[in-house]
Amino acid sequence: MWVNPDAAPKEISRVEVESRCENEQVFVRARAFTSCIPRDCKWGWTKGELRSDGAVRVLLIGFLSSKDMTLKAFGDLLDVRVVNILNDLSEPNETKVYNLRRK
């Protein structure tokens, strides 16, 4: 679990990642939380794709928007690159990068 205690509203506040090995394959899933009031909004567990560079790619699909996240761990830090996509394509995609700390 990694956290961003200074997250502004609608920014990534927490990311949880689980992995397991089975038959020499790595299976990864993740979920993200965004800062909301009165409590954080939760995106459900979603299957991730382990890339050859060690990063994990996760596509979180919501009703109005989606988040294409790339996660890469560096010790106790998690670099999270998020591309926010409005599902109706009414606005251009927005990319933000967050550095979360292991909890």
Side-chain angles (χ1 to χ4, degrees):
M1 180 186 319
W2 285 269
V3 295
N4 177 10
D6 301 320
K10 298 185 180 182
E11 289 186 342
I12 298 294
S13 60
R14 184 169 88 202
V15 173
E16 297 176 359
V17 180
E18 291 184 350
S19 64
R20 64 181 168 80
C21 295
E22 188 175 301
N23 296 326
E24 297 184 25
Q25 276 190 294
V26 178
F27 295 91
V28 181
R29 71 180 191 153
R31 70 176 172 176
F33 295 76
T34 50
S35 180
C36 297
I37 296 172
R39 63 185 164 278
D40 288 355
C41 299
K42 176 174 34 177
W43 295 72
W45 285 105
T46 303
K47 179 181 175 183
E49 169 193 338
L50 182 61
R51 298 185 340 190
S52 61
D53 64 356
V56 173
R57 181 174 176 260
V58 180
L59 180 60
L60 304 172
I61 299 173
F63 183 70
L64 298 175
S65 67
S66 299
K67 296 186 182 311
D68 187 357
M69 300 191 337
T70 303
L71 316 171
K72 187 141 185 170
F74 297 96
D76 285 341
L77 294 177
L78 183 69
D79 182 70
V80 181
R81 182 178 179 270
V82 180
V83 179
N84 290 305
I85 305 162
L86 290 180
N87 292 345
D88 66 2
L89 303 176
S90 61
E91 294 180 26
N93 297 344
E94 178 184 21
T95 302
K96 288 193 174 185
V97 176
Y98 305 93
N99 290 299
L100 282 66
R101 296 188 184 279
R102 186 183 298 269
K103 184 172 180 183

